[in-house]
Amino acid sequence: MIRHGTLLFRVAQFSKYLPPLRLSCGKTNRNCTSKSCPVEEIPVIQVFSSPSCTLCDEVLFQLEQLRLTYHFKIETVNIKENQLWKRKYQYDIPVIHVNDQFLCKHSLDLELLHARLKLSRK
């Protein structure tokens, strides 16, 4: 994930100090892709953003903190690199999708995200 925001840099800088997340297969890798892993599907949270978006940095910081509780993968999508996403979301970033389904925009709806992640655990 390449971003230029200072807040995200700080999150990335300190994420190495976070305790490893232990999966049910015994691995501690946050992005386990092993075929033998009994963890079914790891939720993917997409954050549609642009390089100078401070609201996007705040959402990414909140998501990094939430990774202490839930196991998911974060993908950052730069809307300036794709004309479709730019036309659709240029005035609404950050926009958050979970497993390619719209969740919220402008800010992170934590209650809705908690509910969606709890459903994906089952």
Side-chain angles (χ1 to χ4, degrees), residues 5-89:
T6 56
L7 185 60
L8 184 58
F9 173 75
R10 288 190 186 121
V11 169
Q13 186 180 20
F14 294 108
S15 64
K16 62 184 173 189
Y17 299 110
L18 295 175
L21 182 64
R22 185 162 299 280
L23 303 176
S24 60
C25 63
K27 296 184 179 184
T28 57
N29 186 357
R30 289 184 177 274
N31 296 317
C32 177
T33 56
S34 170
K35 300 255 186 230
S36 64
C37 183
V39 176
E40 288 184 12
E41 187 176 315
I42 298 170
V44 177
I45 298 179
Q46 292 176 303
V47 180
F48 293 84
S49 65
S50 70
S52 59
C53 173
T54 57
L55 288 175
C56 302
D57 290 339
E58 288 179 28
V59 165
L60 288 166
F61 181 75
Q62 289 176 321
L63 288 172
E64 282 295 335
Q65 289 180 327
L66 198 59
R67 286 179 88 180
L68 296 173
T69 307
Y70 297 101
H71 183 64
F72 56 85
K73 182 178 177 185
I74 301 172
E75 291 180 357
T76 304
V77 180
N78 184 348
I79 63 167
K80 293 184 178 185
E81 294 175 356
N82 184 314
Q83 288 299 318
L84 173 69
W85 295 125
K86 184 175 181 177
R87 271 187 258 122
K88 190 171 184 177
Y89 292 140

Side-chain angles (χ1 to χ4, degrees), residues 90-106:
Q90 74 180 2
Y91 301 112
D92 291 324
I93 60 171
V95 177
I96 295 94
H97 286 198
V98 177
N99 294 332
D100 295 323
Q101 294 181 348
F102 175 82
L103 180 78
C104 56
K105 62 183 177 180
H106 304 293

